[in-house]
Amino acid sequence: VATIIGGPALPMIEFADVSATHRGRPVLQGASCRFPDDAVSALLGPPGSGRTLVLQLITGLATRRAGTIRIDGWDPMVDLREVRRRICFVPENAPVPPGRSVLASARLGTLLATGRSPARRETVDALRLSEVPDRAFGADTRTLGPFLRLCLWMGIHRLRGSTIFVADAPEARLNAQELTALARLLRENSRHGRSVIITGHDARLAGRAADLVLALNDLRIEPRSTARENPLAALSL
Amino acid sequence: VTLTTFIRFVAEDVRRQLLTPWAAAAVVTLAAVSFGALLSGQRDVERQRAEYEALLQERLESQMRAKQVLWGRAPEAALRAIRAPSPGVTLVIGRDRAIPAAWDFAPWGTETLFTYRHREWDFESLIRIPGGLVALLLGTILVVRDRTSGWIAALHAMPIAAWQVSIARLLGMSLSVAGAFTLWWTLIWLSGGHLLPAGITVWPLLPTAIVYGWTLGAVGLACAWLSRTPSRGLLVGLGFWTLASILMPSVIPRAVGALASTTERREEERLRREQYADDVRLTELEVSGPMASMLPVEVTDPGAVDRWAAANFPRVERQWRAGMQRAREAAHASLETAQHAAALHETYIRYTGWLVPGLLVKHALAEVAGTGSVAARRWEHAVAQRHAALRALLFDDRPTASVRLPAGGAIQGFVVPRRSPPRVAEAGIFEPPAIPFGSAAGFREFGPAMIAWLIVSFCAAFAAGASGSRRGA
């Protein structure tokens, strides 16, 4: 049973005494934490510790047994649409719509989230800002590597105008160069009132990008220090 | 998410499904196969018809040249053989004088009043077999592929409801299937081909294909629930299809029988099945008996027979022909009524049969609606009985003129003496056997069951598919 505590003021996402189970097994028990604005938060923990469940609780894909969760003031179990409108959730391995081009996938993701199909120019600009190379715009999404898939998702995040970017284990199968680039992109996405939450079981990406590191482990919470300065984590934990 | 978003999503899904290489290859392959099958079938029919005509002409000419020709008393098989291979043709133009008009009642073609359609490659088959498989496998593979790629998890985290995703999938798939059918039919139409039955209007049936794709797409979603890989999804879909093909033909009649409104009706249905399933046989008309006792005659000049008959039996011959004409018209009216009823039932089956997957379901539905093989045998039996009565009347009592014309040209003698004058009216008007289900009654009893099946199967499959999608996510 894990307990999450900590977090700075001005929380965009707040857990309060949350209990949840996964396939009948308790994973969270009275967990409380806050994920701040304008910051990259990393949730670390070993496999099976419930990292993905926390993200599913945030996005409304899983339900809690007790406690309170507020996403920008909205409850995922009550105001699911409002919550999902604010969150861009990237599952593990950053899956993208199969059988489409990168441009079409970006437009589809935006359409599904906002009901608006962005113009080509707008889509191209968002993808370029997310470091998707021009040569990949017409490529089939099945040919994309993990880094480009994440870049595509960040392009969708920009097009949607969502305020929270949530990625499950984004560092998987990335080399060091790609991790550095991804960390830079994540930090860029965490500005101007936006928030980024990532999970992982090691600190390779968290050490490069996270402002706040939360460790999710059985029965205990361990603040982790990152390679870069981490004032928010130091303040809250 | 607005309605516009939903519609755009459906359109995007249709475009995606139609434009994927797999779907395009499947559509093109099936179109090619269908096109080839239709063309070859059409050519085959034409070739058989031509060969048949040539054979008949040759046989007729050989009979004309032969020493022994029995005019009006030839075995029925030979007389049957001069008919064109179409049940719609009951009289060969230009040969009516040579062939006794009575043989217009010969049941060639009417014997297969109902069942000949099932042996043809018709539009329903086009929809039912390849179209059903396409819908089923698309429904299975698309969801499984979304699940294996992980995209479905991201999709469910979007601000669009799960039911909207599933409905969009189904609607997109149904429109894709209907689009594929439109493409096939257009190809066939442009190539000058045709589908059987020839009178069917295809275009209004295309919306029904949407329903078919919708239903099987829901089943495909359920299959996807049981599958975690596309290959397993294929196997599950094909397994479902095979199972439905095996089970549904026996389940449907039982279910409909159980739903019959009254006990008398169920008893009647049971008796009808027992009686005709065991006892009715395809009656082969025999040429023994009175016909066998007739002596052969030699005719080298067929015209001499007519001239001789006109000279010796003018009054009787005219009466006979007039009576036969009246009987023929009466019989044709009855036949027309029966054909109309059969067409109604066929239409009924055509519209309800879409909703049930399986290869042999159509035959089961035909049995239920009274146009299946049992009813066909019943029809054959009735026609054969009628034919036997006509044969006895015409050949036992008809004043027959048979002549022997040797090489010298002199008439040698008559074979069959004149007996009583013809009494065609005694044969009565041919009464086709009643078809068990009237169209309205059939719909009252059968339609709700089919609609209930549609609703229940769709709801169950949809619930299973949606649940499976979420679990997969």
Side-chain angles (χ1 to χ4, degrees):
Chain A
V1 179
T3 302
I4 306 173
I5 60 171
L10 300 175
M12 183 169 281
I13 300 174
E14 183 173 18
F15 279 45
D17 295 327
V18 174
S19 299
T21 59
H22 179 63
R23 294 181 179 175
R25 181 175 65 87
V27 176
L28 292 180
Q29 185 69 49
S32 298
C33 71
R34 289 174 288 179
F35 298 90
D37 287 347
D38 293 333
V40 177
S41 305
L43 183 63
L44 301 183
S49 61
R51 290 175 284 118
T52 302
L53 180 67
V54 171
L55 299 190
Q56 288 177 340
L57 288 171
I58 291 173
T59 54
L61 288 171
T63 55
R64 61 184 183 271
R65 299 184 65 181
T68 307
I69 299 176
R70 286 285 182 268
I71 313 296
D72 210 8
W74 302 94
D75 187 343
M77 290 181 66
V78 179
D79 312 297
L80 189 59
R81 290 288 177 86
E82 293 296 333
V83 168
R84 287 182 175 174
R85 193 168 292 163
R86 286 162 172 75
I87 295 178
C88 180
F89 173 61
V90 184
E92 192 171 357
N93 295 323
V96 288
R100 292 176 174 84
S101 69
V102 170
L103 271 178
S105 299
R107 298 175 79 175
L108 175 66
T110 310
L111 171 71
L112 289 173
T114 64
R116 178 184 66 88
S117 187
R120 177 185 174 85
R121 183 70 192 175
E122 183 185 359
T123 310
V124 167
D125 290 343
L127 290 175
R128 282 175 177 162
L129 286 173
S130 302
E131 298 192 5
V132 177
D134 286 12
R135 67 176 185 280
F137 286 172
D140 192 306
T141 51
R142 286 171 293 194
T143 64
L144 299 181
F147 178 70
L148 278 183
R149 290 204 297 270
L150 283 164
C151 292
L152 171 57
W153 269 109
M154 275 185 277
I156 293 173
H157 176 52
R158 284 178 190 275
L159 286 167
R160 285 179 55 173
S162 46
T163 52
I164 305 169
F165 185 80
V166 177
D168 191 7
E171 81 280 3
R173 294 190 291 176
L174 296 184
N175 57 36
Q177 186 180 358
E178 290 171 338
L179 279 173
T180 304
L182 179 61
R184 188 179 66 253
L185 285 171
L186 290 174
R187 292 196 60 77
E188 286 174 2
N189 270 299
S190 66
R191 294 169 188 161
H192 310 298
R194 292 182 172 185
S195 175
V196 172
I197 301 172
I198 58 174
T199 67
H201 55 77
D202 60 43
R204 287 190 303 150
L205 181 61
R208 288 175 168 87
D211 301 302
L212 170 66
V213 176
L214 300 173
L216 181 60
N217 203 348
D218 284 346
L219 301 174
R220 62 195 181 115
I221 295 292
E222 292 180 352
R224 297 272 181 91
S225 60
T226 59
R228 51 194 296 277
E229 190 178 3
N230 191 349
L232 287 175
L235 181 66
S236 59
L237 298 177
Chain B
V1 178
T2 62
L3 179 64
T4 312
T5 309
F6 178 68
I7 293 172
R8 283 183 175 180
F9 183 40
V10 171
E12 209 277 342
D13 216 40
V14 170
R15 191 177 59 184
R16 170 195 166 199
Q17 291 174 37
L18 282 182
L19 295 183
T20 54
W22 185 89
V27 168
V28 170
T29 305
L30 287 170
V33 170
S34 309
F35 188 58
L38 281 163
L39 283 186
S40 65
Q42 188 181 2
R43 280 197 297 269
D44 194 45
V45 168
E46 295 296 332
R47 181 181 57 78
Q48 286 185 9
R49 189 187 296 273
E51 290 179 355
Y52 208 55
E53 292 291 339
L55 178 66
L56 296 177
Q57 187 65 30
E58 182 185 355
R59 184 177 299 173
L60 191 63
E61 289 175 356
S62 66
Q63 286 182 352
M64 298 282 281
R65 290 192 299 269
K67 290 183 178 180
Q68 293 185 350
V69 174
L70 290 176
W71 290 107
R73 287 178 292 166
E76 178 176 303
L79 284 176
R80 279 189 188 190
I82 64 173
R83 300 190 182 280
S86 165
V89 178
T90 57
L91 189 64
V92 180
I93 299 172
R95 295 172 187 164
D96 198 18
R97 284 186 69 249
I99 304 164
W103 291 106
D104 282 353
F105 295 97
W108 197 97
T110 57
E111 291 173 350
T112 54
L113 178 66
F114 307 119
T115 53
Y116 76 96
R117 288 172 184 162
H118 299 295
R119 294 197 295 266
E120 304 291 346
W121 179 248
D122 54 13
F123 186 73
E124 295 98 287
S125 303
L126 183 68
I127 297 287
R128 178 171 298 281
I129 300 172
L133 281 173
V134 165
L136 185 65
L137 298 182
L138 267 182
T140 306
I141 290 174
L142 283 179
V143 175
V144 172
R145 195 170 63 169
D146 279 352
R147 186 188 294 177
T148 53
S149 69
W151 168 243
I152 201 165
L155 201 57
H156 281 300
M158 296 273 188
I160 184 170
W163 67 267
Q164 284 178 314
V165 174
S166 298
I167 293 286
R169 281 274 183 280
L170 286 174
L171 200 55
M173 186 169 47
S174 302
L175 291 173
S176 303
V177 173
F181 291 144
T182 307
L183 174 65
W184 296 346
W185 176 243
T186 305
L187 282 173
I188 292 163
W189 179 64
L190 289 176
S191 64
H194 66 279
L195 295 173
L196 292 174
I200 189 173
T201 306
V202 174
W203 301 110
L205 289 177
L206 285 175
T208 324
I210 297 177
V211 177
Y212 197 61
W214 178 280
T215 309
L216 285 177
V219 176
L221 275 179
C223 292
W225 179 41
L226 302 171
S227 317
R228 293 200 176 275
T229 62
S231 57
R232 193 181 298 176
L234 274 172
L235 287 177
V236 171
L238 290 174
F240 170 81
W241 183 268
T242 308
L243 195 65
S245 302
I246 294 171
L247 292 182
M248 293 308 274
S250 60
V251 168
I252 289 174
R254 289 172 192 272
V256 174
L259 289 172
S261 56
T262 62
T263 309
E264 292 77 11
R265 180 54 191 275
R266 286 196 292 270
E267 184 66 15
E268 178 188 348
E269 181 70 15
R270 188 184 65 78
L271 289 175
R272 186 178 72 84
R273 291 188 172 281
E274 287 182 357
Q275 178 182 357
Y276 290 103
D278 298 333
D279 299 336
V280 174
R281 61 184 175 82
L282 179 61
T283 305
E284 292 291 343
L285 297 179
E286 298 174 354
V287 293
S288 58
M291 291 180 69
S293 65
M294 294 179 181
L295 298 176
V297 295
E298 294 180 0
V299 176
T300 55
D301 180 9
V305 178
D306 286 344
R307 288 195 296 275
W308 183 87
N312 292 276
F313 304 97
R315 184 178 58 84
V316 172
E317 189 68 17
R318 279 199 298 273
Q319 288 178 345
W320 189 85
R321 285 182 182 276
M324 291 312 303
Q325 184 62 30
R326 286 194 298 273
R328 183 202 314 179
E329 290 172 356
H332 280 184
S334 301
L335 285 174
E336 189 177 350
T337 304
Q339 297 254 11
H340 180 67
L344 279 179
H345 283 238
E346 286 291 320
T347 306
Y348 173 69
I349 293 171
R350 185 175 303 137
Y351 278 93
T352 55
W354 301 89
L355 310 177
V356 187
L359 291 175
L360 301 176
V361 168
K362 193 173 171 185
H363 296 268
L365 292 175
E367 296 292 342
V368 170
T371 57
S373 58
V374 172
R377 290 195 194 101
R378 189 183 187 191
W379 175 271
E380 292 164 3
H381 187 65
V383 171
Q385 282 184 329
R386 164 74 175 181
H387 203 229
L390 281 175
R391 187 177 68 240
L393 180 69
L394 296 174
F395 289 103
D396 290 351
D397 297 335
R398 184 191 174 192
T400 306
S402 299
V403 295
R404 182 186 294 274
L405 296 177
I411 297 175
Q412 288 190 340
F414 304 114
V415 177
V416 180
R418 171 189 291 210
R419 292 192 295 202
S420 57
R423 297 186 300 276
V424 175
E426 289 181 2
I429 296 174
F430 175 59
E431 294 288 346
I435 297 175
F437 278 14
S439 58
F443 183 77
R444 276 199 301 272
E445 296 189 2
F446 192 52
M450 295 301 299
I451 294 171
W453 187 93
L454 170 67
I455 294 173
V456 170
S457 64
F458 174 74
C459 290
F462 182 76
S467 170
S469 298
R470 280 194 291 272
R471 290 186 185 191

